[in-house]
Amino acid sequence: MGRGDLTDAEWERLRPFLPVSNRRCGRWRDHRQVIDGILHRVRTGVQWRDLPERFGPWKTVYERHRLWSADGTWERLLQQVQAAADAAGEIDWDIAVDSTIVRAHQHAAGARTEPPPAAKGAEEMEHQGENAVAEPGGPPGGGGAGGEGLGRSRGGFTSKLHLSADGRCRPLSLVITGGQRADCTQFKLVLEKIRIPRTGPGRPRKKPDSLAADKAYSNGPCREYLRRRGIRHTIPEKTDSLAARLRKGSRGGRPPGFDEDRYKKRNTVERAINRLKQSRAVATRYDKRGYVFLGTATAAALIIWLRT
């Protein structure tokens, strides 16, 4: 076993949920060998063509990663690992939300303008493993750089990774946008992507116990969304919002609640970002397609969950 490869225990946790047929005329090439190749590339950022020979043909490894990114397999694996942790009471549901800029390499530019083929829904995928949860449609993209989650920000040619993390510094949900997109515009989507299935009967868990976020999320729509869902939250008030409220006097309303001790736990999402960016293919974006880069980040998150 090479450095960074799946251990026997980690492999046994993933094996029951992996696809069993390639939908063509036979079985997949050994899943464990290919997954180890994908994880090697995610960890090192090496070009696909330069993968060591022990992982098999590089194109097989790349195509498996591209397909699983498109049809939601990586998300389903992450959900199943999260479900096992939740059943064991190992998830701290005092979550935090934030985003981070990811510099795009020049190789990330130049994707074709036509959208990639749509992936089949979960109900059409006979090759799926048991307990499938996510139901993806066609992968996004095909609209130029903006459609692939690429944009221009102060950091240059960048993407932005929006995420939520539990109290043990593990990513719960991930969203990819262009680097210029404001954090608050993706707040609702990040929270609605939290979906932890139950190991027994019951609906997936989507609601955290509490949430902490920085001033980037301090606006009326974000606070109203949290109040509507009944989520306790700690978000500091912006200086200009405070000044405007004070100018209005009694008409400005009461200040939003703020728990300083709870806000100190917001560092968990920063530490989750640091863990993700230990994978070089996440710290720098090399993937042209937005859905493939999201699959790369999801694979990195999966390893974090398996190894913590």
Side-chain angles (χ1 to χ4, degrees), residues 170-187:
R170 298 173 295 188
L172 288 169
S173 60
L174 300 164
V175 174
I176 304 293
T177 67
Q180 79 282 2
R181 295 296 298 275
D183 293 358
C184 60
T185 62
Q186 306 302 311
F187 180 70

Side-chain angles (χ1 to χ4, degrees), residues 39-105:
L39 297 182
H40 178 84
R41 187 263 176 178
V42 170
R43 180 172 59 86
T44 63
V46 67
Q47 293 188 19
W48 290 106
R49 293 175 182 270
D50 294 332
L51 281 175
E53 293 182 359
R54 68 186 181 89
F55 299 122
W58 70 267
K59 193 168 184 180
T60 299
V61 181
Y62 165 73
E63 287 295 337
R64 189 79 54 86
H65 178 57
R66 185 193 63 79
L67 176 62
W68 285 3
S69 298
D71 67 15
T73 297
W74 286 122
E75 292 187 27
R76 279 187 289 276
L77 292 174
L78 178 60
Q79 288 172 350
Q80 295 300 334
V81 173
Q82 290 172 339
D86 187 42
E90 297 176 354
I91 296 182
D92 184 347
W93 283 98
D94 291 330
I95 73 168
V97 177
D98 206 351
S99 71
T100 183
I101 289 290
V102 177
R103 186 65 185 266
H105 193 270

Side-chain angles (χ1 to χ4, degrees), residues 138-150:
E148 302 298 345
L150 292 165

Side-chain angles (χ1 to χ4, degrees), residues 63-281:
E63 287 295 337
R64 189 79 54 86
H65 178 57
R66 185 193 63 79
L67 176 62
W68 285 3
S69 298
D71 67 15
T73 297
W74 286 122
E75 292 187 27
R76 279 187 289 276
L77 292 174
L78 178 60
Q79 288 172 350
Q80 295 300 334
V81 173
Q82 290 172 339
D86 187 42
E90 297 176 354
I91 296 182
D92 184 347
W93 283 98
D94 291 330
I95 73 168
V97 177
D98 206 351
S99 71
T100 183
I101 289 290
V102 177
R103 186 65 185 266
H105 193 270
Q106 60 187 1
H107 292 171
R112 297 187 301 274
T113 56
E114 68 272 12
K120 294 185 178 181
E123 68 280 358
E124 300 176 0
M125 296 171 62
E126 298 179 355
H127 72 297
Q128 291 299 338
E130 57 190 53
N131 298 330
V133 175
E135 297 182 0
E148 302 298 345
L150 292 165
R152 298 286 176 178
S153 67
R154 290 183 179 180
F157 192 43
T158 55
S159 292
K160 182 174 281 191
L161 181 62
H162 307 260
L163 72 154
S164 62
D166 78 334
R168 298 186 179 183
C169 311
R170 298 173 295 188
L172 288 169
S173 60
L174 300 164
V175 174
I176 304 293
T177 67
Q180 79 282 2
R181 295 296 298 275
D183 293 358
C184 60
T185 62
Q186 306 302 311
F187 180 70
K188 180 178 178 180
L189 181 57
V190 168
L191 290 185
E192 291 185 348
K193 284 195 70 175
I194 298 175
R195 182 183 175 89
I196 310 299
R198 309 288 187 180
T199 54
R203 297 180 178 179
R205 177 163 182 174
K206 302 179 181 180
K207 181 180 174 181
D209 293 333
S210 68
L211 179 142
D214 60 19
K215 290 184 179 181
Y217 303 93
S218 180
N219 59 32
C222 290
R223 294 183 187 275
E224 174 58 28
Y225 172 75
L226 292 169
R227 283 194 294 267
R228 187 169 66 251
R229 291 192 59 187
I231 299 174
R232 294 184 295 111
H233 55 279
T234 298
I235 304 176
E237 190 176 17
K238 291 181 179 179
T239 304
D240 55 349
S241 299
L242 172 62
R245 181 172 55 78
L246 294 178
R247 282 197 304 269
K248 294 179 181 179
S250 60
R251 294 182 295 107
R254 293 178 296 179
F258 182 74
D259 185 344
E260 292 187 2
D261 291 334
R262 173 66 183 90
Y263 189 70
K264 291 178 181 178
K265 292 183 65 177
R266 196 190 67 83
N267 69 83
T268 55
V269 70
E270 305 287 356
R271 290 152 63 190
I273 290 171
N274 288 341
R275 285 183 174 183
L276 280 172
K277 286 193 168 182
Q278 288 178 12
S279 300
R280 294 192 174 190

